[in-house]
Amino acid sequence: MPASPLTHPLECDVLVVGSGAAGLSAAVTAAWHGQEVILVEKDPVFGGATAWSGGWMWVPCNPLARRAGIVEDPELPRTYLKHELGERYDAARIDAFLEAGPHMVEFFERHTALQFSDGNLIADIHGDSPGAGTGGRSVIAAPCDGRELGALIHRLRKTMRETSFMGMPIMAGKDLAAFMNMTRSAPAFLHAARRFGRHLIDLARHGRAMQLVNGVALVARLAKSAEALGVRLCESSPARHLIIEDGAVRGALVETAGGEIEIRARKAVVLAAGGFPNDIGRRKAMFPRTPTGHEHLALPPPGASGDGLRLGESAGGQVATDLVSPVAWAPVSLVRYKDGSAGHFPHIIERGKPGIIGVLADGRRFVNEAHGYYDYVTAMVAAVPPEQEVASWLICDHRFQRRYGLGISRPTPLPVGPWVRNGYLKSGATLDELARACGIDPAGLAETVAEYNRHARNGEDPAFGRGSTPYNRKQGDPGHQPNPCVAPIEHAPFYAVKVQPGCFGTFAGLRTNAHAQVLDGAGRPIDGLYAAGTDMASIMGGHYPAGGINLGPAVTFGYIAGRHIAGATAWE
Ligand SMILES: Cc1cc2nc3c(=O)[nH]c(=O)nc-3n(C[C@H](O)[C@H](O)[C@H](O)COP(=O)(O)OP(=O)(O)OC[C@H]3O[C@@H](n4cnc5c(N)ncnc54)[C@H](O)[C@@H]3O)c2cc1C
């Protein structure tokens, strides 16, 4: 049931704009520190891109790692970031993040419903950079039973269609491994059958998934905590304008079903509206190789359309334009459904498995496909000649597709045929046929695959080094030796899926200081205005050094903002 409608006028200490990880973190932290908090959300459901995400948070030196005996000197992640970010390294904000991150995890664990599971086996993406971690720097929200949220569950965004199975989110790690191995192992089959059976009952009873994992568990746990702490949660209530008095932000005008109302904030407004992945104008202006703004398959929900940046600018805030990349690239394929709707599928899992390569229209490889998603698209954008559409094709054989799936076409026991028939996958009895179906140069592809296979039979990839880093190997198949990321492509029919530039969100946001206060053109904090999550210019300077570098800082800077507004001093 929605909250009681907003009435004119309202007052609070802190007004939070947006209900993703950053907004909810700020709201919960401020409320726990005694602040009266209102959170407004534009969409009819809470959760934003966070609810669709993998939910991984990069938080070096976190208490879960420490409890497991992984005790790192903070100098190590700092060294890693210094090397990765180069001249974009912002010492003040990185220090604030590295210091507050572990406290943030402790705070939520101790005082709220947000409990975590560890990512102690997840390596940083660039294992050859000094200070790179091989595990212990990531956490994820612990799975959550939706029934514990009562009526609130129906006000939360459901899992993304493309990354779930019939609406059931699957968690990276053991859960996903069980689904991938369900035709090979009895315990895996039992796990998958039990999970799916329960999901079907939940669908029948509640009309949605109730075994919550990944980003949707993070949102559920944060929203539950916010509700318990008395945060007023208002959906379908977009903030339209900031109230600015004598240069200070004092609240916002918010659109509601009953008309526009004024919400005054005695202490601060926190902008956490999810950046601008769906702002066509700003995409056109800022994204490379995006001349009309439409050459991009953004993954976040449409509501993340730049409102926070515009609100911040109206108060004198500045959008950072000097990041290495304004966008958190993701390789994405377009999925067309029978009902005429379209979806965006993120290629996160299969690129590192043995027996797949990515090629351009000339049939040539251009990157180590097992590297990070951001690296794949960065390389693709750089490699495609200027006059051509930026796109690549992921190529595999029948054995690979049946074992690991390709994009949204799932592995055995689910059929591949429907995805070939609807054109999502191209297929060919020979590589030549496949190349012609895709519009790839057949000679180039034949040569590339022959050369790749020659080495792949020995588990080697001298051209790009698949399997050469801990991150690569983690993305591969540990059961496949000698190289978990390399196998020949030779069992017809062959398949391909077209992959285009898309994103997990944006990096270019409002400039802030280490307290998450929005800065004006002279670098001074704007009184009463904070930004967190993707509304804040990424502390990674447009680089992507590790999985979880969006959500780790989003939750941490939400926490930092909430504490700063409340005037908290001791770590809680
Ligand atoms: C498929 C996918 C997987 C991902 N996996 C990961 C991962 O594992 N780890 C990681 O670090 N990152 C991941 N990301 C990226 C990450 O999810 C985002 O960077 C993060 O969720 C952004 O959080 P946020 O709080 O800034 O914004 P959001 O979660 O997008 O929330 C912003 C909210 O603000 C609302 N809003 C917009 N305008 C207004 C307005 N005017 N008034 C009120 N509300 C407004 C929006 O509707 C939205 O609900 C993933 C993203 C996707 C799409």
Side-chain angles (χ1 to χ4, degrees):
M1 195 196 306
S4 50
L6 295 173
T7 48
H8 185 80
L10 276 176
E11 206 169 313
C12 58
D13 293 317
V14 186
L15 173 63
V16 177
V17 178
S19 66
L24 284 168
S25 169
V28 170
T29 308
W32 190 86
H33 283 91
Q35 307 299 298
E36 193 187 334
V37 183
I38 297 177
L39 180 150
V40 292
E41 164 56 52
K42 176 178 176 175
D43 279 352
V45 281
F46 300 112
T50 305
W52 282 2
S53 75
W56 286 103
M57 293 164 260
W58 196 68
V59 186
C61 307
N62 67 71
L64 284 89
R66 282 204 305 272
R67 292 201 289 266
I70 305 173
V71 183
E72 272 197 303
D73 184 334
E75 277 315 306
L76 273 177
R78 203 187 314 276
T79 301
Y80 181 58
L81 290 178
K82 275 185 183 154
H83 278 87
E84 287 283 298
L85 311 189
E87 58 187 27
R88 302 298 193 298
Y89 184 85
D90 172 349
R93 291 196 309 156
I94 295 291
D95 285 352
F97 168 65
L98 290 177
E99 185 185 13
H103 292 294
M104 174 279 286
V105 173
E106 257 159 35
F107 165 80
F108 283 108
E109 276 191 320
R110 193 172 311 152
H111 301 300
T112 77
L114 176 51
Q115 303 298 304
F116 301 89
S117 299
D118 71 71
N120 286 345
L121 299 177
I122 300 177
D124 291 339
I125 292 178
H126 300 131
D128 37 12
S129 275
T134 52
R137 293 184 180 174
S138 309
V139 294
I140 191 169
C144 171
D145 184 345
R147 278 164 280 264
E148 289 170 14
L149 272 80
L152 182 60
I153 184 71
H154 296 291
R155 298 167 65 196
L156 306 188
R157 187 179 293 284
K158 294 178 184 171
T159 306
M160 189 179 182
R161 181 174 180 183
E162 287 71 31
T163 56
S164 57
F165 181 62
M166 287 178 66
M168 179 180 65
I170 297 175
M171 191 171 173
K174 284 185 193 144
D175 194 27
L176 177 62
F179 279 92
M180 300 281 284
N181 290 306
M182 61 188 281
T183 56
R184 265 171 219 87
S185 127
F189 176 79
L190 276 179
H191 172 93
R194 209 175 299 128
R195 281 267 276 122
F196 189 57
R198 264 187 65 189
H199 177 63
L200 289 179
I201 296 170
D202 288 341
L203 281 184
R205 286 206 186 133
H206 306 280
R208 62 165 295 151
M210 299 298 263
Q211 307 169 76
L212 310 179
V213 296
N214 306 342
V216 78
L218 176 61
V219 168
R221 287 180 172 279
L222 281 170
K224 185 180 170 195
S225 310
E227 190 182 59
L229 286 162
V231 174
R232 186 163 181 177
L233 296 166
C234 312
E235 61 273 68
S236 302
S237 305
R240 293 296 185 209
H241 303 282
L242 291 182
I243 300 169
I244 302 166
E245 290 169 356
D246 299 327
V249 174
R250 295 288 177 240
L253 298 179
V254 174
E255 192 180 305
T256 71
E260 195 166 79
I261 68 157
E262 188 176 293
I263 303 182
R264 297 194 70 84
R266 287 181 287 268
K267 294 197 175 158
V269 171
V270 181
L271 298 174
F276 67 100
N278 291 303
D279 178 342
I280 302 295
R282 226 185 268 265
R283 269 182 1 199
K284 181 176 166 181
M286 294 185 75
F287 285 13
R289 307 291 297 267
T290 315
T292 69
H294 292 279
E295 302 82 353
H296 185 88
L297 304 179
L299 294 164
S305 55
D307 292 5
L309 272 55
R310 283 188 290 276
L311 291 171
E313 286 174 325
S314 74
Q318 311 287 308
V319 173
T321 53
D322 56 351
L323 279 70
V324 159
S325 164
V327 47
W329 293 121
V332 176
S333 55
L334 183 66
V335 185
R336 294 206 185 278
Y337 297 109
K338 274 192 195 135
D339 62 6
S341 63
H344 296 170
F345 182 90
H347 291 261
I348 301 172
I349 293 169
E350 91 281 56
R351 284 175 301 102
K353 305 285 185 240
I356 190 168
I357 54 170
V359 300
L360 303 179
D362 60 6
R364 312 276 168 207
R365 290 173 70 197
F366 58 97
V367 72
N368 175 341
E369 303 85 353
H371 277 347
Y373 19 81
Y374 170 92
D375 297 329
Y376 184 94
V377 182
T378 305
M380 178 167 80
V381 168
V384 173
E387 69 285 358
Q388 278 179 26
E389 177 196 9
V390 181
S392 66
W393 295 86
L394 283 172
I395 309 272
C396 69
D397 64 11
H398 187 66
R399 190 169 62 176
F400 179 100
Q401 196 288 329
R402 295 290 68 205
R403 176 71 183 90
Y404 308 109
L406 177 60
I408 200 168
S409 74
R410 315 280 192 214
T412 304
L414 296 168
V416 62
W419 296 108
V420 176
R421 284 193 291 280
N422 81 357
Y424 173 76
L425 293 185
K426 300 292 179 203
S427 75
T430 60
L431 284 167
D432 188 82
E433 216 177 284
L434 181 72
R436 289 176 202 284
C438 300
I440 300 172
D441 173 39
L445 183 65
E447 212 177 290
T448 298
V449 175
E451 176 65 6
Y452 167 79
N453 281 351
R454 197 158 68 83
H455 299 285
R457 291 192 185 96
N458 303 323
E460 287 164 6
D461 177 27
F464 291 98
R466 288 178 65 94
S468 58
T469 68
Y471 178 86
N472 272 197
R473 291 190 287 279
K474 181 77 187 154
Q475 303 303 308
D477 177 351
H480 183 86
Q481 293 302 331
N483 185 334
C485 303
V486 174
I489 301 170
E490 53 193 359
H491 295 276
F494 301 96
Y495 300 105
V497 62
K498 184 177 179 181
V499 171
Q500 295 169 260
C503 71
F504 293 116
T506 43
F507 282 148
L510 295 162
R511 286 193 194 284
T512 68
N513 62 14
H515 302 300
Q517 291 173 290
V518 177
L519 302 176
D520 67 14
R524 288 178 310 237
I526 298 169
D527 190 5
L529 191 62
Y530 292 72
T534 37
D535 277 357
M536 168 196 258
S538 169
I539 60 165
M540 301 298 164
H543 291 275
Y544 215 122
I549 54 91
N550 306 296
L551 286 170
V555 182
T556 303
F557 279 97
Y559 167 75
I560 288 174
R563 283 172 48 82
H564 195 253
I565 295 164
T569 46
W571 286 112
E572 290 279 6

